[in-house]
Amino acid sequence: MKNKAVLELADVKQMAAAAEAEALENKWAVTIAIVDDGGHLLWLQRLDGAPAISSHIAPAKAHTAALGQRESKVYEDVINQGRVSFLSAPAVSGMLEGGVPVMKGGQCIGAVGVSGVKSSEDAQIARAGIAALGL
């Protein structure tokens, strides 16, 4: 039997604080979502001024990154390169850049999804949150 790391509340708070700091430093109004390895929501934080729809998009991006164990941008690229049939993939709706998996020891233990600014900036914020764990 294998053992697997899991995100604890302290980890989630640490990632959320780092992601929030990155967003505030750049004056970006975003929503930050953190999920476990099954894509279940552990944290949702909508900063002042973030668009209402971002509170739906950020968790979807995180969910997609966790289930796919890769950045959600991979799916966006596949679709943009012409494989539009991928839009019918079940259980994934956040196929936009900004969802980043949290990897430890080669295993996905969760993901961070961000929405509200340019997709590359969303991903920057997500990565800053994950970097706080020092994995």
Side-chain angles (χ1 to χ4, degrees), residues 4-5 7 15 33-42 57-75 90-104 106-114 126 130:
K4 182 176 179 182
L7 291 173
M15 286 190 296
I34 302 173
V35 300
D36 65 13
D37 61 333
H40 304 101
L41 191 61
L42 300 173
I57 296 171
K61 289 179 179 183
H63 182 263
T64 296
L67 292 184
Q69 300 181 21
R70 59 188 50 118
E71 291 201 26
S72 56
K73 182 181 186 332
V74 170
Y75 303 107
V92 286
S93 60
M95 294 183 278
L96 302 165
E97 183 176 7
V100 181
V102 180
M103 304 297 290
K104 181 175 174 110
Q107 295 183 324
C108 181
I109 60 171
V112 179
V114 179
I130 294 166

Side-chain angles (χ1 to χ4, degrees), residues 70-89:
R70 59 188 50 118
E71 291 201 26
S72 56
K73 182 181 186 332
V74 170
Y75 303 107
E76 180 179 8
D77 291 344
V78 164
I79 294 162
N80 287 341
Q81 291 167 5
R83 191 169 177 208
V84 294
S85 62
F86 201 82
L87 290 168
S88 67

Side-chain angles (χ1 to χ4, degrees), residues 16-28:
E20 177 184 5
E22 181 73 14
L24 293 176
E25 179 181 320
N26 289 288
K27 296 181 174 58
W28 292 335

